[in-house]
């Protein structure tokens, strides 16, 4: 490795800490020139003497394969050495396994096939991994699943070598270690054994052997593996062969195991395999709110509530819009009482959304007449004594079919408005604005990110992917990323830098996207999301309890909804609980930190309902 290669730490801009391993920290960084993301992995000088590390690096850099995390170089900062690696934005296979939901059998097999392809390439280059486990399999997102990439090649082997030299015995993870590894021996067959355990764990959310390291050692060496009958015989046979105690009885190459898996991957036995019951073991109970009437505060409304927002003062001031009217109402923080609603103002065209920050209430109105859009935003500055009104127009001269999109900064000092491929960001204090054009690219979603930035998302139907652009409030393009799917909804999370996106092609699938460090988690929900509210602890997502036909129009679908589910997710996408409400929820908003407000239609009656989450048996971190 040349000196110039190893001294270019400054060409990377650190974006954030991704994780910590036994060798040190892993950072997400951007190459200032190419704008590509990389992972910088700290390697302690003491643990890895430079000569040995450089020897190993020669192998690592030569290992180029789509299923192996590629290593680019070694760079030095003042205090540390870093391995520069390809960045994998969807975390590790461990995180995927630990989520509540179950992957499909096809997804499990595809991930294992990826692992075997990477292993085959390394084994052909005479490199054995030695420490294969879900923590060392990194993921990138693809259109329908993930691409698995093996990491820590060489470093694991070097670490093993260093421990042996120091008389410390074996390194490795006992849960995945083949029997011979406990005697300090390893071969291609030891990696195959670890793949067998990973396949078992992906399918069954458990490992064949668990316990303390000494118990694990004895189990790997002596105990027979039992595979539940649920797993088809063809898959059982593959796992059993990979997990033979004697290395010579296992698959002799990764290719052999891969071909057997490929042969059964599309068989009816595998396609029809229903792994859902396994995931259900971890499922949280669904709370039916009809049976818990005392936790709710219901109120009959004369009209449909189309928008809800709140401002916290001595109690919770709830603002809500019914068509052209904005009203407000004081509700006690513990929902023990509410006062009569008060009229605030009338609007024309009808209200589409309201947003409150500090004492400013934003009201967005819009209507479409003959494919011509008419829209306004209006702010009402409210204090106890007076209210001051500021108005702005959202005018479009063009014939357009889509809506205006808008994003308001958390402290309401700018508003961004997009229509088709143009974007205007208006500073509300100085009433100055910047305008941007995006050539042929239509903006489909606009999301405020923090006080200084917003995100514009554009779906590209020709390439079936979407482009995400981080734009500063002054109109500078800060960051561009491509997502491998089309998006049908996008909202900002309350920790700035997080977005929740719904995939258009996989309608039950959401993406939680973290920008610093860059991270994407794909989550499959039990229901197809309809409305999403971001809260101080995560997200509340409504979904129709009945399956909604994919090709039916939204309005006709909604008419059929008898019960609506509210799925509660934390910021990591973990399921916190599920509520079921009679009727159709047409609007949802977080009220303070522990309540939700929902607008419900049931038997053609309109109701506004407040739910006190603190009283429910749900572990929310308030
Ligand atoms: N190339 C990468 N791209 C994105 N994230 C990465 C990358 N490499 C590592 N990470 C993240 O950093 C964390 C720590 O990684 P690291 O490889 O140092 O430790 P580990 O594999 O968890 O444990 P060990 O130190 O035992 O190998 C991982 O859990 C993963 O989330």
């Amino acid at each position: 490795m040349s000196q110039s290669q190893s001294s270019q730490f400054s060409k990377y801009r650190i974006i954030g800490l991704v994780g910590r391993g036994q060798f040190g920290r892993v950072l997400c960084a951007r190459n200032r020139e190419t704008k590509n993301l990389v992972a910088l992995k700290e390697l302690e000088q003491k643990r890895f003497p430079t000569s040995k590390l450089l020897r190993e690096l020669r192998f690592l850099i030569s290992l180029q394969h789509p299923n192996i995390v590629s290593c680019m170089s070694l760079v030095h900062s003042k205090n540390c050495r870093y391995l520069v690696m390809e960045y994998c934005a969807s975390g590790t296979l461990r995180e995927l396994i630990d989520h509540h939901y179950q992957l499909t059998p096809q997804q499990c097999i595809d991930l294992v096939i990826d692992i075997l392809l990477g292993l085959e390439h390394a084994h052909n280059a005479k490199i054995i991994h030695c420490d294969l486990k879900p923590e060392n399999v990194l993921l990138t997102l693809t259109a329908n699943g993930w691409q698995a990439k093996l990491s820590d090649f060489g470093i694991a082997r070097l670490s093993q070598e260093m421990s042996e030299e120091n008389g410390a015995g074996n390194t490795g993870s006992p849960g995945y270690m083949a029997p011979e590894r406990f005697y300090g021996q390893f071969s291609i067959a030891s990696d195959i054994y670890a793949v067998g355990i990973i396949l078992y764990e992906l399918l069954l959310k458990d490992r064949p052997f668990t316990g303390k390291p000494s118990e694990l050692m004895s189990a790997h060496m002596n105990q027979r593996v039992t595979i539940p009958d649920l797993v088809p015989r063809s898959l059982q046979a593959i796992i059993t062969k990979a997990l033979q105690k004697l290395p010579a009885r296992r698959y002799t190459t990764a290719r052999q195991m891969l071909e057997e898996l490929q042969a059964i991957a599309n068989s009816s036995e595998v396609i029809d395999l229903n792994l859902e019951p396994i995931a259900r073991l971890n499922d949280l109970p669904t709370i039916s709110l009809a049976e818990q009437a005392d936790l709710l505060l219901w109120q009959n409304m004369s009209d449909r509530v189309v928008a809800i927002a709140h401002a916290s003062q001595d109690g919770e001031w709830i603002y809500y819009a019914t068509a052209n009217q904005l009203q407000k109402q004081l509700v006690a923080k513990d929902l023990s009482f509410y006062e009569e609603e008060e009229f605030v103002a009338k609007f024309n065209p009808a209200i589409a959304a309201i947003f409150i920050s500090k004492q400013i209430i934003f009201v967005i109105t819009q209507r479409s007449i003959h494919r011509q859009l008419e829209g306004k935003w209006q702010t009402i500055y409210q204090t106890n004594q007076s209210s001051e009104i500021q108005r702005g127009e959202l005018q479009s001269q063009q014939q357009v079919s889509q809506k205006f999109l808008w994003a308001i900064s958390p402290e309401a000092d700018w508003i961004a408005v997009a229509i088709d491929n143009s974007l205007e960001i208006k500073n509300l204090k100085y009433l100055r604005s910047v305008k941007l054009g995006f050539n042929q690219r239509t903006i489909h979603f606009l999301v405020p990110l923090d006080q200084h930035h917003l995100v514009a998302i554009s779906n590209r139907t020709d390439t079936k992917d979407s482009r995400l652009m981080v734009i500063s409030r002054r109109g500078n393009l800060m960051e561009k990323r491509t997502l491998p799917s089309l998006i049908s909804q996008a909202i900002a999370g309350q920790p700035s830098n997080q977005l929740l996106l719904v995939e258009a092609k996989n309608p039950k699938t959401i993406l939680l996207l973290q920008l610093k460090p860059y991270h994407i988690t794909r989550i499959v929900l039990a229901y197809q999301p309809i409305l999403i509210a971001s809260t101080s602890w995560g997200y509340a997502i409504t979904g129709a309890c009945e399956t909604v036909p994919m090709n039916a129009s939204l309005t006709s679908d909604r008419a059929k909804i008898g019960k609506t589910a509210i799925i509660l997710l934390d910021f990591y996408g973990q399921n916190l609980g599920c509520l079921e409400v009679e009727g159709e929820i047409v609007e949802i908003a977080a009220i303070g930190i522990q309540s939700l407000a929902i607008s419900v239609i049931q038997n053609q009656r309109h109701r506004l309902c407040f739910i006190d989450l603190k009283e429910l048996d749900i572990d929310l971190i308030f």
Side-chain angles (χ1 to χ4, degrees):
M1 184 155 320
S2 69
Q3 185 57 35
S4 63
Q5 250 180 331
S6 55
S7 58
Q8 291 179 350
F9 184 72
S10 59
K11 79 176 187 194
Y12 299 102
R13 178 163 178 211
I14 309 293
I15 296 183
L17 176 71
V18 198
R20 269 174 211 279
Q22 51 170 320
F23 309 121
R25 296 178 308 164
V26 177
L27 306 170
C28 169
R30 190 176 48 233
N31 183 318
R32 291 179 200 268
E33 230 167 79
T34 63
K35 310 279 182 230
N36 289 338
L37 294 179
V38 293
L40 298 178
K41 184 167 182 153
E42 241 172 32
L43 295 172
E44 285 170 33
Q45 189 100 24
K46 270 196 288 177
R47 286 262 308 270
F48 302 104
T50 307
S51 58
K52 290 211 165 139
L53 188 61
L54 290 180
R55 184 201 69 198
E56 205 63 27
L57 269 175
R58 228 175 298 131
F59 280 116
L60 288 183
I61 290 172
S62 69
L63 268 188
Q64 293 293 330
H65 188 272
N67 300 108
I68 296 179
V69 179
S70 63
C71 293
M72 277 89 101
S73 58
L74 187 72
V75 292
H76 291 253
S77 72
K78 227 170 153 190
N79 310 317
C80 207
R81 291 180 308 180
Y82 297 90
L83 189 59
V84 183
M85 298 189 297
E86 166 188 11
Y87 189 73
C88 301
S90 285
T92 64
L93 190 57
R94 165 59 56 225
E95 290 159 37
L96 196 59
I97 293 173
D98 286 352
H99 250 103
H100 277 138
Y101 63 89
Q102 175 68 50
L103 299 172
T104 64
Q106 189 61 49
Q107 284 171 328
C108 299
I109 292 179
D110 286 348
L111 286 163
V112 174
I113 288 177
D114 278 356
I115 295 174
L116 288 165
L117 284 167
L119 273 184
E120 179 187 37
H121 183 80
H123 291 166
N124 288 343
K126 309 255 174 302
I127 297 180
I128 294 165
H129 192 289
C130 270
D131 191 17
L132 203 54
K133 56 182 173 179
E135 288 77 355
N136 282 337
V137 178
L138 297 176
L139 304 170
T140 56
L141 206 67
T142 61
N144 292 310
W146 296 265
Q147 183 168 32
K149 291 172 180 268
L150 308 181
S151 88
D152 272 358
F153 262 111
I155 298 293
R157 184 172 77 170
L158 188 58
S159 171
Q160 163 83 25
E161 197 180 301
M162 301 306 302
S163 306
E164 278 165 12
E165 273 178 24
N166 299 336
N170 281 312
T171 61
S173 313
Y176 300 85
M177 271 164 67
E180 68 277 11
R181 292 271 285 110
F182 294 94
Y183 299 115
Q185 293 166 7
F186 57 87
S187 64
I188 286 178
S190 324
D191 280 350
I192 299 284
Y193 187 92
V195 180
I197 307 257
I198 294 175
L199 176 56
Y200 185 109
E201 191 173 8
L202 273 167
L203 292 168
L204 297 163
K205 291 236 161 201
D206 203 359
R207 288 196 290 273
F209 310 125
T210 48
K212 295 189 205 122
S214 59
E215 292 163 349
L216 279 170
M217 178 171 136
S218 144
H220 282 298
M221 291 203 282
N222 309 311
Q223 206 173 306
R224 254 194 73 218
V225 176
T226 47
I227 307 169
D229 289 341
L230 169 88
V231 177
R233 287 198 182 284
S234 52
L235 258 176
Q236 287 197 25
I238 294 176
I239 298 172
T240 308
K241 183 152 186 189
L243 295 183
Q244 287 296 308
K245 306 289 179 204
L246 291 175
R249 293 211 174 151
R250 292 176 214 145
Y251 294 100
T252 45
T253 62
R255 166 74 30 193
Q256 275 182 5
M257 182 170 177
L258 186 152
E259 280 173 357
E260 288 201 8
L261 269 177
Q262 272 171 338
I264 61 154
N266 296 315
S267 67
S268 55
E269 244 191 340
V270 168
I271 291 170
D272 298 340
L273 172 61
N274 182 10
L275 295 171
E276 285 284 323
I278 299 167
R280 294 236 180 274
L281 294 179
N282 295 324
D283 259 4
L284 296 157
T286 297
I287 300 167
S288 172
L289 289 179
E291 292 153 21
Q292 312 247 351
D294 50 329
L295 304 175
L296 307 176
L297 197 57
W298 288 104
Q299 195 180 339
N300 290 327
M301 308 298 290
S302 56
D303 217 340
R304 175 183 180 138
V305 172
V306 292
I308 309 170
H310 96 287
S312 255
Q313 281 168 20
D314 304 334
E316 303 288 0
W317 275 104
I318 317 289
Y319 285 76
Y320 52 84
T322 51
N324 298 66
Q325 285 213 52
L326 180 67
Q327 318 204 53
K328 68 175 181 179
Q329 185 169 25
L330 185 67
V331 180
K333 274 198 193 304
D334 61 1
L335 304 187
S336 55
F337 71 91
Y338 58 84
E339 289 184 356
E340 278 291 292
E341 71 258 28
E342 290 175 37
F343 171 80
V344 180
K346 220 176 165 93
F347 294 85
N348 189 24
I351 299 172
I354 48 182
F355 173 86
I356 300 183
S357 173
K358 296 186 176 166
Q359 287 141 308
I360 301 176
I361 306 160
F362 267 90
V363 179
I364 312 264
T365 61
Q366 76 180 9
R367 77 174 151 211
S368 152
I369 314 163
H370 310 304
R371 287 167 58 85
Q372 191 96 33
L373 272 175
E374 181 191 354
K376 290 179 186 156
W377 57 264
Q378 196 152 320
T379 63
I380 308 172
Y381 183 77
Q382 285 231 324
T383 62
N384 287 343
Q385 289 82 34
S386 66
S387 70
E388 196 182 291
I389 295 183
Q390 196 186 21
R391 288 194 169 85
E393 299 276 314
L394 306 172
Q395 284 295 9
S396 167
Q397 307 306 321
Q398 305 149 17
Q399 292 273 310
V400 281
S401 52
Q402 68 165 106
K403 291 179 174 179
F404 287 107
L405 305 171
W406 62 84
I408 300 167
S409 72
E411 295 201 357
D413 45 11
W414 51 259
I415 178 169
V417 180
I419 182 144
D420 281 355
N421 58 358
S422 62
L423 171 71
E424 181 175 355
I425 307 169
K426 195 183 275 282
N427 182 316
L428 293 169
K429 212 161 158 198
Y430 304 110
L431 294 178
R432 275 198 305 258
S433 64
V434 282
K435 290 186 179 166
L436 306 174
F438 292 90
N439 296 329
Q440 302 301 315
R441 188 165 295 150
T442 301
I443 299 173
H444 296 99
F445 301 98
L446 211 55
V447 183
L449 195 60
D450 58 30
Q451 207 38 33
H452 306 283
H453 303 93
L454 64 121
V455 171
I457 299 171
S458 166
N459 279 331
R460 303 192 293 192
T461 36
D462 50 341
T463 44
K464 296 194 175 56
D465 58 11
S466 49
R467 178 51 73 91
L468 184 144
M469 293 165 283
V470 180
I471 299 162
S472 77
R473 63 177 177 171
R474 298 213 164 81
N476 299 320
L477 179 61
M478 310 301 288
E479 193 94 58
K480 267 193 297 193
R481 300 274 155 239
T482 302
L483 295 171
S485 32
L486 299 172
I487 302 302
S488 63
Q489 283 196 61
I491 65 159
Q494 287 198 8
S496 57
N497 278 310
Q498 191 176 78
L499 308 181
L500 186 154
L501 311 171
V502 180
E503 289 193 331
K505 285 278 160 66
N506 309 310
K508 281 188 182 174
T509 310
I510 58 165
L511 303 176
L512 278 184
L513 193 142
Q514 189 77 38
L515 282 153
K516 281 183 185 175
Y518 193 63
H519 192 275
I520 314 171
T521 310
R522 179 184 263 136
I523 296 157
V524 184
L525 302 175
Y527 306 105
Q528 178 177 336
I530 298 175
L531 301 168
I532 301 167
S534 90
T535 71
S536 60
W537 41 263
Y539 301 92
I541 303 172
T542 73
C545 293
E546 291 85 10
T547 314
V548 176
M550 276 182 57
N551 51 0
S553 78
L554 257 186
T555 28
S556 65
D557 298 338
R558 287 181 173 193
K560 287 191 225 118
I561 297 173
K563 257 189 192 176
T564 314
I566 308 174
I567 302 166
L568 308 174
L569 294 185
D570 69 10
F571 295 121
Y572 304 100
Q574 294 287 1
N575 196 351
L576 299 169
C578 188
L579 314 175
E580 260 180 21
V581 178
E582 296 286 338
E584 178 199 354
I585 300 181
V586 290
E587 183 59 13
I588 183 164
I591 301 297
I593 52 173
Q594 63 193 42
S595 312
L596 291 175
I598 51 175
S599 160
V600 184
I601 303 180
Q602 192 191 7
N603 302 331
Q604 293 170 346
R605 273 176 34 223
H606 299 278
R607 297 205 285 179
L608 190 61
C609 166
F610 303 109
I611 307 167
D612 186 355
L613 297 171
K614 212 169 72 196
E615 293 297 320
L616 298 174
D617 190 17
I618 295 175
D619 288 332
L620 299 182
I621 301 161
F622 293 119

